[in-house]
Amino acid sequence: MAALDLTVPVDQLAAALIDIPSVSGGEHAIADAVETALAAHAPHLSVTRDGDALIARTELGRPERVLVAGHLDTVPIKDNVPHTWQDDGTTLVGRGSVDMKAGVAVMLSLAAQLTEPARDVTWVLYDHEEVEESKNGLGRLSRHHPHLLEADFAVLGEPTSATIEGGCNGTLRADITVRGRAAHSARAWKGVNAIHGLAPLLTALAAYEPATVTVDGLEYREGLNAVGVRGGIAGNVIPDAATVTVNYRFAPDKSVAEAQAHVEAVVAGSGIADYSLEWTDLAAGCRPGLDAELARSFAASVAAAGGGAPRAKVGWTDVARFGALGIPAVNYGPGDPELAHADDERCPASDIHACRAGLEAWLTA
Amino acid sequence: MAALDLTVPVDQLAAALIDIPSVSGGEHAIADAVETALAAHAPHLSVTRDGDALIARTELGRPERVLVAGHLDTVPIKDNVPHTWQDDGTTLVGRGSVDMKAGVAVMLSLAAQLTEPARDVTWVLYDHEEVEESKNGLGRLSRHHPHLLEADFAVLGEPTSATIEGGCNGTLRADITVRGRAAHSARAWKGVNAIHGLAPLLTALAAYEPATVTVDGLEYREGLNAVGVRGGIAGNVIPDAATVTVNYRFAPDKSVAEAQAHVEAVVAGSGIADYSLEWTDLAAGCRPGLDAELARSFAASVAAAGGGAPRAKVGWTDVARFGALGIPAVNYGPGDPELAHADDERCPASDIHACRAGLEAWLTA
């Protein structure tokens, strides 16, 4: 098993984490390595393991408790593991450098060093963030160990270029299946072509103009896209079914039900006939929540560490889970979120150090 | 191994053939059964086996030789094997009843009985007709044993409701792939959605009005259809590629090159951008060829057996291979071609008897 030294410089720790592959569903090795490293370097923490997720808590009896969370999994590797360094050693390159092993490195470095933080801290590391919502490790922890997740404020270490990003967009997916009637393609007039029947829906999606919505002073940019299409069973058969999977990213001014109604209206308005719609993923957004007292003190610490003004988070993140638990939450982590999942994913070492400094200042103030 | 008795009534022989599953690629058992049955019941024939195809010839030194061909394979079984009888035992139901085990039964019944036909006969039974052209057993025989296929006229036993159907439409397939640019679906504006890019092509295909073309007095109905669509790699990724497979069935007044040019024009005219087109299947059509002397005598025999006036074959069939070999060829077999590949494929017993009578009269005249 790869051994992790939590006392090395935080950017080197991030590199070491990249070198332990942990594509969703394959987090066992990295969870083992983190558990062993916490036992070796952070005996002051009380650790609970659940599957390939870990909860590590200080128990100092402080009046406030904050929760800092990050996921251990990555999207699939594309020739980008192990890590490399570029730009004279100032840029860390590799799968997870942005999403989000640099953020996990910040957490583990502070978890080992901050033996007596000014606020009690709950460090949460979990599995299955990059796949369907039903597998999400944080969701599982909230069902199995709700009391261990109780906190006054939460920080999720998703990439934000070391600036606070408030809330997040919601996301939903639907499979829209158009029906036709099968026939031999030599006698196509006997059938109804379901793939042709998708044309109005794809035309409507291509013409759709996504909104930008201001919520609590931050701007959330939406999107409605086909992310999958499939149809046809053989080269000589007029297909009797064809399916488009759409993904709607919606601003946190909308409930899930309102977002569903919007998608239903767009689909019905496209003019497609004889279709069915099945929801395959539904996840609420989260309002920015920047009015909490702990959020203001955190923002001050981040600004002192060089971070900019808070902005909106457009990607869905697990801050929405904290919102649902009644815990104010923000995103704050190293790396440009627009490089998440990119083949050339890369993170400035300066972001990693800045996030460590921002969090350390807040937790020790 | 299932034993076939070629001397039973021809409709019972058809039923026995249905009960030997022979989906394309799985013709070994039925080829074995046919080879054994020919050895037992037709010792007057000279038999050559090639893979799962068989050529069985009379060698009587007659001045004319005719070739009668049929394929042993079927499309996949859909709970329709073994056979059943319906309509008081007058309708044979099951996979291959139409396409084309009833036609094969007519061939095998006559192959066993006609020990001294008036014209030498070459019976050809072959594999892999229902899949891509490159695997076609008749094509393989024409490469391995061209001299054994030489003939003055050919009859292909594909279903025609016991009427002569002249020539056939050509068929081609193309994969048209639209390119985009990948991005995380939470930041869709960073990408270009390739699935949305398919919309103009599907709209053009939905609006396309196929032609009906008269060739040598027979009417060929065309068709241009999407038979497959695929795109998308994950629920949170804007796809950078999406592909539509189109199938063009074209009248035999057009060469393959002319048909390709037509498809290229339709695709380009649809207005899709940044696409590539790859041909995956190209098969010429065949003109009716009803002016040959042997065709006229065959038509007279078929009319005497109750068949109607010759008409066009809209489906592509292997008559096109005989056309390419310079052998005039027609389709003639039991069963309604519009039921080919249907889950409820079914053939009137009367068609099977009529085809046997029509062929017998011609071969013994």
Side-chain angles (χ1 to χ4, degrees):
Chain A
M1 191 180 76
L4 287 173
D5 183 349
L6 305 186
T7 66
V8 300
V10 65
D11 52 352
Q12 292 182 30
L13 179 55
L17 289 165
I18 290 172
D19 294 350
I20 306 175
S22 59
V23 176
S24 306
E27 300 95 337
H28 199 67
I30 200 168
D32 283 353
V34 169
E35 184 177 17
T36 302
L38 287 172
H41 302 288
H44 56 287
L45 297 175
S46 165
V47 175
T48 303
R49 178 154 175 174
D50 179 302
D52 289 329
L54 293 154
I55 303 172
R57 296 161 53 100
T58 62
E59 302 285 2
L60 300 168
R62 304 289 195 234
E64 291 176 320
R65 176 175 288 278
V66 300
L67 187 154
V68 186
H71 62 84
L72 295 170
D73 60 321
T74 70
V75 295
I77 291 166
K78 288 281 228 23
D79 290 328
N80 49 9
V81 168
H83 78 281
T84 56
W85 289 100
Q86 292 190 3
D87 306 325
D88 296 324
T90 61
T91 302
L92 176 60
V93 180
R95 174 61 75 224
S97 54
V98 168
D99 190 8
M100 55 168 282
K101 290 184 171 177
V104 170
V106 168
M107 293 171 59
L108 292 175
S109 176
L110 291 172
Q113 184 190 316
L114 299 183
T115 54
E116 296 202 347
R119 304 178 162 103
D120 267 315
V121 186
T122 304
W123 307 99
V124 178
L125 298 151
Y126 60 100
D127 55 289
H128 283 102
E129 193 273 346
E130 298 288 5
V131 289
E132 59 267 38
E133 194 276 340
S134 60
K135 291 185 177 174
N136 186 287
L138 187 56
R140 188 180 69 247
L141 291 176
S142 71
R143 294 188 297 273
H144 291 184
H145 306 286
H147 58 291
L148 294 180
L149 297 188
E150 286 169 5
D152 300 296
F153 191 75
V155 176
L156 190 66
E158 290 275 357
T160 62
S161 291
T163 289
I164 291 175
E165 292 189 345
C168 72
N169 274 335
T171 181
L172 63 76
R173 288 184 190 82
D175 282 350
I176 297 139
T177 299
V178 171
R179 298 288 166 188
R181 189 171 65 245
H184 194 294
S185 67
R187 286 171 289 279
W189 58 90
K190 293 279 175 180
V192 176
N193 194 317
I195 296 175
H196 296 188
L198 293 178
L201 178 58
L202 295 189
T203 300
L205 290 173
Y208 182 86
E209 296 200 5
T212 297
V213 183
T214 301
V215 183
D216 298 352
L218 301 183
E219 290 197 345
Y220 291 85
R221 195 163 172 179
E222 298 193 332
L224 177 61
N225 275 276
V227 292
V229 64
R230 57 194 176 280
I233 61 163
N236 58 2
V237 177
I238 302 300
D240 64 358
T243 300
V244 170
T245 302
V246 299
N247 179 211
Y248 180 36
R249 304 282 179 152
F250 54 96
D253 65 322
K254 295 178 191 65
S255 67
V256 168
E258 287 166 338
Q260 288 177 286
H262 179 68
V263 170
E264 284 169 345
V266 171
V267 172
S270 76
I272 58 171
D274 196 8
Y275 69 94
S276 58
L277 186 154
E278 184 185 358
W279 304 106
T280 58
D281 195 15
L282 296 171
C286 178
R287 298 182 75 99
L290 288 172
D291 50 353
E293 165 54 32
L294 270 169
R296 283 201 289 269
S297 76
F298 183 43
S301 296
V302 169
R311 60 188 182 206
K313 185 73 176 175
V314 291
W316 189 90
T317 76
D318 278 335
V319 295
R321 292 179 200 282
F322 296 113
L325 293 169
I327 306 172
V330 298
N331 304 275
Y332 176 64
D336 178 351
E338 299 197 353
L339 292 177
H341 302 193
D343 293 352
D344 61 345
E345 196 175 340
R346 62 193 52 230
C347 182
S350 58
D351 266 21
I352 310 176
H353 291 289
C355 282
R356 191 186 186 286
L359 266 179
E360 182 180 23
W362 180 51
L363 294 174
T364 56
Chain B
M1 190 179 76
L4 287 174
D5 182 349
L6 305 187
T7 67
V8 300
V10 65
D11 53 351
Q12 293 182 28
L13 179 55
L17 288 165
I18 290 171
D19 293 351
I20 306 175
S22 59
V23 176
S24 306
E27 301 95 336
H28 199 67
I30 199 167
D32 284 352
V34 169
E35 184 177 17
T36 302
L38 287 172
H41 302 288
H44 57 286
L45 297 175
S46 166
V47 175
T48 302
R49 179 153 176 175
D50 180 303
D52 289 328
L54 293 154
I55 303 173
R57 295 162 53 100
T58 62
E59 302 285 2
L60 300 167
R62 304 290 195 234
E64 292 176 321
R65 175 176 288 279
V66 300
L67 186 154
V68 186
H71 62 85
L72 296 170
D73 60 321
T74 71
V75 295
I77 291 166
K78 287 280 231 21
D79 290 328
N80 49 9
V81 168
H83 77 282
T84 56
W85 289 100
Q86 292 190 3
D87 306 326
D88 296 323
T90 62
T91 302
L92 176 60
V93 180
R95 174 60 76 224
S97 53
V98 167
D99 191 8
M100 56 170 281
K101 290 185 173 177
V104 170
V106 168
M107 293 171 60
L108 292 175
S109 177
L110 291 172
Q113 184 192 316
L114 299 182
T115 54
E116 296 202 347
R119 303 176 162 103
D120 267 316
V121 186
T122 305
W123 307 99
V124 178
L125 297 151
Y126 60 100
D127 54 289
H128 283 102
E129 193 273 346
E130 297 289 4
V131 289
E132 58 266 39
E133 195 276 340
S134 61
K135 291 185 176 173
N136 186 287
L138 186 57
R140 188 180 70 248
L141 291 176
S142 70
R143 293 188 298 274
H144 291 185
H145 306 287
H147 58 291
L148 293 180
L149 297 187
E150 286 169 6
D152 300 297
F153 191 75
V155 177
L156 189 66
E158 290 275 358
T160 63
S161 292
T163 290
I164 291 175
E165 291 191 345
C168 73
N169 275 334
T171 181
L172 62 75
R173 288 184 190 83
D175 282 351
I176 297 138
T177 298
V178 171
R179 298 288 167 190
R181 189 170 65 244
H184 195 294
S185 66
R187 286 171 290 279
W189 58 90
K190 292 280 175 181
V192 176
N193 193 316
I195 296 175
H196 295 187
L198 293 178
L201 177 58
L202 294 188
T203 300
L205 290 173
Y208 182 85
E209 297 201 4
T212 297
V213 182
T214 302
V215 183
D216 299 352
L218 300 184
E219 289 197 343
Y220 291 86
R221 195 162 173 178
E222 298 193 331
L224 176 60
N225 275 275
V227 291
V229 64
R230 56 194 177 280
I233 61 165
N236 58 2
V237 176
I238 300 301
D240 65 358
T243 300
V244 170
T245 302
V246 299
N247 179 212
Y248 180 36
R249 303 281 179 154
F250 53 95
D253 65 321
K254 295 179 190 65
S255 67
V256 168
E258 288 167 337
Q260 289 177 285
H262 179 67
V263 170
E264 285 170 343
V266 170
V267 173
S270 76
I272 59 171
D274 196 8
Y275 70 93
S276 58
L277 186 155
E278 183 186 358
W279 304 105
T280 57
D281 194 17
L282 297 171
C286 179
R287 298 181 74 98
L290 289 172
D291 50 354
E293 165 54 30
L294 270 169
R296 283 201 289 269
S297 76
F298 183 43
S301 295
V302 168
R311 61 189 183 207
K313 185 73 177 175
V314 292
W316 189 90
T317 75
D318 278 335
V319 295
R321 292 179 201 283
F322 296 114
L325 292 170
I327 305 172
V330 298
N331 305 275
Y332 177 63
D336 178 351
E338 299 197 353
L339 292 176
H341 302 193
D343 293 353
D344 61 346
E345 196 175 339
R346 61 191 53 229
C347 182
S350 58
D351 266 21
I352 310 177
H353 291 290
C355 282
R356 191 185 187 287
L359 265 180
E360 182 181 24
W362 180 51
L363 294 174
T364 55

